[in-house]
Amino acid sequence: MNQAVHLTSLSPIEIINFVEELGEPTFRGRQLFAALHRRRLSSFDEMTDLPKDLRATLAERAIVSTLTVESRYIAADGTRRYLMKTHDNHPVETVFIPEERRDTICFSSQSGCPLQCSFCLTAKLGLLRTLTAGEIVEQIIIALNDAYGIGVKTPRGTNLVAMGAGEPFLAFEPLMKALRMMAEAEGLHIVPNRVTVSTAGIVPRIRELATTPDRPHLAISLAAPTDELRDVLMPINKKWPLRELLAACKEFESSLKPGERFTFEYVMLDGVNDTDEHARQLANLLNRHSLQRVKVNLIPHNPADSLPYRPSPEERVQSFKAILESKGINAFVRRPRGRDIYAACGQLAARRDVATIGANAAALYQLS
Ligand code: SAH
């Protein structure tokens, strides 16, 4: 990339400053922001409300998008996975999940991931780099345009989850900037109340989020009820063990709005963390820290050849759930989405070989 300004990275104020430096009035900045975010246009030619000479200057000095879509994979259940690459050639993956009530877009905060969770395929990539705010927003624009048409508003709104590749709390600044931009009424208008950020447990950022106004909802990946097991499954636990993590969660709980809850995600690994004893330990852990406004999402493991785990059988998951509920903890089982195209939780690893996996023939479309 040359020194062109990446417009999708700029907040409304930054865009206004940019056009003012070009000698244009403030309202041109607002028009440009709306063209990029509300109308979701990707070429200056289409921004016909801007004067021609301004469009020509923009084409010289700036670029709209830096991500390119390499492939789009469509699962049997309608889930779509976009495999994109950055200008410096790193993979970025985004998943569009159609749902009855409201569709969800799952976006990535990093290319690859530095955390070495033993059950997650993304970990195999290592960290390639953290994404910019603009690269985060672009993922959502690309998915929205593909799902609904360019600039077409979804009638039901869209939920966002920062549950793709990477650790969002190690991309805190670009993530928060992206969320602020996406909340703009003159832009995508996806407010923080429609967004959930998932963390492997970066404790200082959980505390920081608790005091952040207009913040998204929070989910925490737990995967184990004891330090002994969590150290093995999620090595980040050695830095911030369960006692510290749950103390930060308690603090976060006291910042919840009326009716709001937060979530623990618990990936269920056959014979590893899914016994009745683990369920009792988990319930006792949450009750000991008197966490009340919390729910547990049980996620059967999404397998892959290079991961040494199998998903817990259905009756195990149900028994685990029943034990949590008997101890007063709300628990839900998450249905896997897009497993056949490597789009489900923990499966994002820039896989290109989906046409060959599973019985569900996944459709592969090359986008131009
Ligand atoms: N790094 C953040 C964001 C990723 S969210 C985090 O850890 O929270 C991805 C979710 O999928 C996490 O809850 C993770 O524990 C879970 N996960 C990872 N690999 C998985 C797999 N193979 N099957 C099911 N869930 C998995």
Side-chain angles (χ1 to χ4, degrees), residues 106 109-110 113 115 117 119-122 162-169 197-201 219-223 234 265-269 299-304 307 334 339 344-347:
C106 175
S109 52
Q110 298 182 307
C113 184
L115 306 183
C117 301
F119 47 82
C120 180
L121 208 53
T122 311
M163 297 188 184
E167 167 50 49
F169 281 179
V197 174
S198 177
T199 180
I220 292 150
S221 302
L222 210 51
M234 300 181 69
E265 294 151 289
Y266 194 97
V267 57
M268 298 210 56
L269 310 167
I299 315 175
H301 184 247
N302 295 306
L307 297 174
R334 280 246 298 259
R339 254 191 196 173
C345 295
Q347 291 192 311

Side-chain angles (χ1 to χ4, degrees), residues 22 120 132 201 260 277 310 318 324 357:
L22 298 176
C120 180
T132 65
E260 189 188 359
E277 178 60 14
R310 288 180 312 266
Q318 290 307 331
L324 292 180
I357 67 155

Side-chain angles (χ1 to χ4, degrees), residues 284-356:
N284 292 341
L285 180 74
L286 303 189
N287 289 334
R288 200 163 59 238
H289 284 82
S290 59
L291 290 165
Q292 279 138 10
R293 296 170 63 184
V294 56
K295 62 176 171 147
V296 175
N297 277 350
L298 302 171
I299 315 175
H301 184 247
N302 295 306
D305 289 346
S306 51
L307 297 174
Y309 302 105
R310 288 180 312 266
S312 304
E314 179 63 21
E315 61 276 15
R316 197 66 323 272
V317 178
Q318 290 307 331
S319 167
F320 199 97
K321 177 173 183 268
I323 291 172
L324 292 180
E325 284 171 340
S326 74
K327 290 177 176 282
I329 291 163
N330 289 305
F332 302 86
V333 180
R334 280 246 298 259
R335 229 165 16 108
R337 298 294 305 265
R339 254 191 196 173
D340 52 339
I341 56 160
Y342 278 90
C345 295
Q347 291 192 311
L348 298 183
R351 296 283 294 236
R352 294 179 174 83
D353 55 344
V354 293
T356 63

Side-chain angles (χ1 to χ4, degrees), residues 3-25:
Q3 290 310 301
V5 175
H6 181 206
L7 292 176
T8 317
S9 280
L10 302 184
S11 67
I13 295 292
E14 288 168 335
I15 289 220
I16 288 169
N17 289 342
F18 175 70
V19 300
E20 283 180 353
E21 276 164 29
L22 298 176
E24 296 286 337

Side-chain angles (χ1 to χ4, degrees), residues 1 7 10 37 85 101 136 141 146 154 270 309 357:
M1 192 172 53
L7 292 176
L10 302 184
H37 295 262
K85 56 176 192 276
R101 285 181 53 223
I136 291 173
I141 290 177
D146 184 55
T154 154
D270 185 23
Y309 302 105
I357 67 155

